[in-house]
Amino acid sequence: MNTDAILKNEEKVQFQLRALYEQCGYSRFKMSKFEEYDLYVRNKDFLVSDSVITFTDTTGKLMALKPDVTLSIVKNFDGSTNGVQRVYYNENVYRISEQTHTYKEIMQTGLECMGNISGYDLCEVLLLAAQSLQIISKDCVLNVSHLGVVSALLDAPEMADIRKDLFACIGEKNSHGVGELCLQAGVDPSVTKQLQLLTTAYGTPDEVLPQLHFLYEYPAAAKALEELSLVIFALQKVSDVRICVDFSLVNNMKYYNGLVFRGFVNGVPAGVLSGGQYDYLMNRMGKNDQAIGFAVYLDLLERMDKEKEYDADVLLLYDDTISFSQVLAEALALRREGKSVEVQRCVPNKRRYKQQICLPVQKGE
Amino acid sequence: MCRTNGGINSRYACRCRKGNEPVREWLNVALPKGRLGEKVYKMFAAAGFECPEVLENTRKLIFENEQKCIRYFWVKPSDVAIYVERGAADVGVAGKDILLEYQPEIFELLDLKVGKCRMAVAAKKGFRDHADRTLRVATKFPGIATAYYQSQGRDIDIIKLNGSIELAPILHLSDVIVDIVETGTTLLENDLEPIETIVPISARLIANRAGFQFKYEAVQDIVKGLQQQLEETV
């Protein structure tokens, strides 16, 4: 039996990703489905949705079904060990779907790299993100950005009141919205233009980066851009993944800093991979280290599966004139040929078969 | 030519060829049914993405221009964002009111400056707001109304209605309404008046975030074509 034909797309991807991460020294982090609710209350903004399924355990403690994996991994991170800690996970998380407003069980795979992170670590994680995407589909794109660029431009005092709205507009590539907000707040028109350019900037590094020379007016942005360029350059040397620079990637700045990225594959209507550097989250959770990681949303890959044309290769029909042992022998013989065989006394409704065989086989058939 | 390998799904996911140019994927456009949609379609046509069949009075749901690799379909205005967010349409045109209410995960690429109106609070003429009482707000847009009054720290009671919102204050179902006001004539005829503007509304060009990555050139061609018209009308 060809197992490749049985495994669903997301299951195949899951195995391949595990092999990829293990190959790079990542260890599997296995965790319980439950976590103390308190962890999420303290870091609500980090969650995709703030609704968490809770229950009281036998000791009276308020628990939650995990809506997120990263928080639990960071909580368990031991900063006293030497070197960088690399873990990957393959877990279900429980979240409210923004589209259906109901709870969903979502299968997620991802990795976290924590400790004294170097430029090499950033590149390796980005490379792993690129390779993860290519495992899912060759027709993919990895968008990258650096939060230091956007936040440096939004640092001006006149933007303090509109910063949150500006982030939202940048995230939607809403250049006209950026213009309106800046006009209301009395932001210098030349700065507004720069922000609008950043909002709409999209393309390969060769196309986008040369347009951003104005960022050198802002030392923090220039430093961030340099870091971004170095990482992209290193990645391009070792990977043929399509990279696009896109500053509309604005993850929550309370937790994320530095490099952020999102991956798309053709045919899936939302990003299938999302990640970034989250030193601020580490600090908020009392860890004096840096971290970078990403998650792959395996549930989104379900739609990539080709529809099965048949429910089974063979429908084996039998009647009372044949013994059970003969039916069993016929079915086993067909299965040994690699065929999937369903045995029935009559043709079931709403199921499709490539071939139908009636037992006992009549002479001449 | 468009590749069709059987089945409706594969047909709508197929790619088409422009002359000798490389194979280009179809761009699916969701237009809002009604006058606004017709106006917007004319803007698309003037930008070089015509498909004359769209304006014909037929029962067809989908209209294609194979040469331009563009496919239009009419949907209920409030559904456009759903079609785009879920990738059934690559781009679409939706009112800012819908985007604010449902907050879909999409890119908002252009303000098309058509279908202009405003989201406003309206009440019976001479209405006095007593801050010591919970304000009863009838609306089709509970998200927008809640966010607006939350920003003011006002305690409200939302009454979600699906139509004839103007009736609510007249029959004392609510103190005020939050609704779209275009000219204000309907309000006036019912002895109501707008008392506060929440946000100006107009039609926006929106795009699916993933579709944007893989059909960037086609989307940009549309953005540029529409932008040019907007600049010409200023």
Side-chain angles (χ1 to χ4, degrees):
Chain A
M1 173 65 67
N2 179 11
T3 49
D4 208 43
I6 296 170
L7 288 175
K8 287 172 105 37
N9 191 27
E10 62 264 34
E11 289 167 331
K12 278 185 265 184
V13 167
Q14 189 182 325
F15 291 132
Q16 290 175 61
L17 293 181
R18 280 171 64 173
L20 172 70
Y21 305 154
E22 295 258 357
Q23 199 182 31
C24 296
Y26 281 77
S27 315
R28 179 142 190 214
F29 191 98
K30 182 87 185 91
M31 60 194 96
S32 152
K33 279 188 166 48
F34 317 127
E35 181 68 79
E36 285 182 31
Y37 179 62
D38 190 44
L39 177 67
Y40 305 116
V41 175
R42 282 183 275 123
N43 300 286
K44 246 182 175 173
D45 297 345
F46 186 74
L47 304 176
V48 176
S49 114
D50 57 6
S51 297
V52 179
I53 303 176
T54 57
F55 64 97
T56 311
D57 80 355
T58 49
T59 60
K61 203 178 280 176
L62 190 59
M63 304 293 286
L65 272 175
K66 277 199 171 83
D68 171 85
V69 176
T70 306
L71 285 172
S72 303
I73 292 179
V74 171
K75 190 179 103 174
N76 289 303
F77 167 66
D78 178 7
S80 65
T81 52
N82 283 335
V84 172
Q85 198 175 321
R86 295 183 170 93
V87 295
Y88 77 91
Y89 58 86
N90 188 208
E91 299 287 338
N92 283 330
V93 292
Y94 303 86
R95 289 178 183 163
I96 282 213
S97 155
E98 283 181 15
Q99 284 156 353
T100 60
H101 303 286
T102 53
Y103 282 105
K104 272 181 79 181
E105 187 179 48
I106 298 165
M107 199 208 296
Q108 212 177 74
T109 280
L111 60 81
E112 314 292 348
C113 177
M114 298 165 290
N116 189 10
I117 300 291
S118 67
Y120 169 80
D121 299 311
L122 296 181
C123 289
E124 190 186 67
V125 170
L126 201 62
L127 174 64
L128 283 168
Q131 290 173 324
S132 302
L133 274 179
Q134 288 178 315
I135 283 174
I136 298 166
S137 167
K138 294 286 170 223
D139 194 2
C140 61
V141 56
L142 182 65
N143 286 357
V144 291
S145 176
H146 195 299
L147 291 179
V149 173
V150 180
S151 56
L153 259 75
L154 299 187
D155 216 20
E158 65 267 28
M159 294 191 204
D161 291 341
I162 55 167
R163 196 167 291 146
K164 198 177 155 206
D165 294 331
L166 280 174
F167 271 125
C169 284
I170 293 171
E172 291 170 350
K173 290 203 167 290
N174 181 348
S175 158
H176 49 276
V178 168
E180 282 162 20
L181 284 167
C182 288
L183 189 69
Q184 282 164 22
V187 174
D188 185 323
S190 65
V191 177
T192 304
K193 217 173 158 189
Q194 292 172 343
L195 266 178
Q196 287 180 308
L197 199 88
L198 215 55
T199 306
T200 52
Y202 177 85
T204 63
D206 291 345
E207 288 163 354
V208 175
L209 297 178
Q211 295 175 34
L212 305 177
H213 49 84
F214 65 87
L215 288 175
Y216 290 98
E217 288 173 34
Y218 307 86
K223 195 172 161 232
L225 191 65
E226 202 179 309
E227 192 176 294
L228 179 66
S229 307
L230 280 173
V231 173
I232 290 174
F233 184 62
L235 180 64
Q236 281 179 320
K237 274 190 158 180
V238 292
S239 170
D240 60 353
V241 72
R242 196 181 129 206
I243 304 169
C244 282
V245 177
D246 183 355
F247 292 99
S248 73
L249 296 177
V250 280
N251 296 21
N252 192 327
M253 299 258 191
K254 266 201 230 168
Y255 302 95
Y256 287 95
N257 62 301
L259 189 69
V260 284
F261 45 93
R262 189 165 299 158
F264 297 88
V265 297
N266 204 354
V268 179
V272 295
L273 181 149
S274 176
Q277 195 175 345
Y278 53 88
D279 301 350
Y280 295 157
L281 172 69
M282 295 287 278
N283 298 342
R284 282 172 71 106
M285 292 181 72
K287 319 278 179 186
N288 291 320
D289 279 287
Q290 301 135 308
I292 182 169
F294 63 80
V296 182
Y297 306 112
L298 294 173
D299 59 308
L300 294 176
L301 310 187
E302 198 183 44
R303 296 273 151 209
M304 292 176 75
D305 271 324
K306 279 186 195 148
E307 267 181 46
K308 271 168 70 180
E309 208 173 334
Y310 302 103
D311 295 297
D313 293 326
V314 181
L315 171 66
L316 199 60
L317 292 170
Y318 70 98
D319 59 25
D320 295 337
T321 62
I322 187 165
S323 73
F324 298 157
S325 57
Q326 272 179 291
V327 179
L328 267 175
E330 287 286 347
L332 284 173
L334 286 164
R335 284 172 192 153
R336 270 196 290 271
E337 288 173 24
K339 290 174 181 167
S340 55
V341 182
E342 188 179 319
V343 182
Q344 295 277 4
R345 294 178 70 136
C346 57
V347 181
N349 293 334
K350 296 178 183 173
R351 286 181 69 79
R352 283 196 288 188
Y353 308 92
K354 210 186 274 183
Q355 191 188 356
Q356 186 173 312
I357 300 173
C358 297
L359 293 178
V361 178
Q362 303 297 316
K363 274 183 191 167
E365 269 187 45
Chain B
M1 283 299 289
C2 175
R3 267 196 247 135
T4 54
N5 353 335
I8 194 157
N9 290 332
S10 57
R11 175 171 157 75
Y12 290 120
C14 75
R15 296 158 187 239
C16 70
R17 189 180 289 281
K18 275 178 89 180
N20 290 329
E21 288 175 32
V23 169
R24 189 169 171 172
E25 278 187 83
W26 283 101
L27 192 79
N28 294 321
V29 184
L31 292 175
K33 264 185 208 162
R35 263 184 305 161
L36 174 67
E38 285 168 17
K39 202 168 178 179
V40 167
Y41 163 72
K42 283 173 188 161
M43 290 176 77
F44 274 77
F49 297 92
E50 70 282 359
C51 181
E53 236 190 326
V54 169
L55 294 180
E56 283 172 18
N57 196 9
T58 69
R59 281 175 181 268
K60 267 179 82 172
L61 295 171
I62 296 174
F63 308 90
E64 290 176 353
N65 180 340
E66 198 166 346
Q67 233 187 345
K68 303 276 168 141
C69 294
I70 197 155
R71 178 183 294 132
Y72 292 97
F73 38 89
W74 295 113
V75 298
K76 198 174 167 184
S78 56
D79 289 342
V80 170
I82 299 170
Y83 278 80
V84 174
E85 185 181 29
R86 293 200 168 222
D90 300 302
V91 295
V93 174
K96 183 69 182 173
D97 50 328
I98 300 297
L99 303 181
L100 287 171
E101 181 62 26
Y102 299 107
Q103 314 244 323
E105 289 266 322
I106 43 88
F107 286 144
E108 183 185 321
L109 301 178
L110 266 185
D111 179 353
L112 297 175
K113 314 261 184 206
V114 292
K116 281 186 178 179
C117 53
R118 61 191 167 124
M119 185 66 68
V121 181
K124 275 168 79 175
K125 276 183 186 161
F127 166 75
R128 277 181 62 229
D129 184 7
H130 299 280
D132 57 340
R133 279 201 318 214
T134 302
L135 187 71
R136 294 172 306 154
V137 184
T139 183
K140 266 194 278 188
F141 302 95
I144 296 175
T146 306
Y148 175 67
Y149 283 107
Q150 243 169 23
S151 71
Q152 299 189 340
R154 187 79 165 87
D155 184 28
I156 60 162
D157 177 15
I158 288 274
I159 303 159
K160 167 86 169 75
L161 295 178
N162 298 305
S164 305
I165 312 292
E166 295 83 3
L167 261 178
I170 298 168
L171 299 177
H172 303 289
L173 175 65
S174 75
D175 301 312
V176 297
I177 61 171
V178 166
D179 204 10
I180 289 171
V181 178
E182 206 173 329
T183 58
T185 316
T186 317
L187 292 176
L188 216 67
E189 282 173 2
N190 290 291
D191 207 27
L192 302 172
E193 61 182 359
I195 52 175
E196 286 158 80
T197 294
I198 297 179
V199 65
I201 305 289
S202 56
R204 311 294 164 107
L205 177 74
I206 60 173
N208 175 270
R209 289 184 183 222
F212 184 86
Q213 319 294 328
F214 298 98
K215 299 177 184 176
Y216 179 69
E217 282 172 23
V219 175
Q220 277 307 99
D221 286 348
I222 286 179
V223 170
K224 281 180 195 156
L226 295 175
Q227 210 159 26
Q228 204 179 341
Q229 289 175 62
L230 293 173
E231 281 160 14
E232 282 165 9
T233 52
V234 170

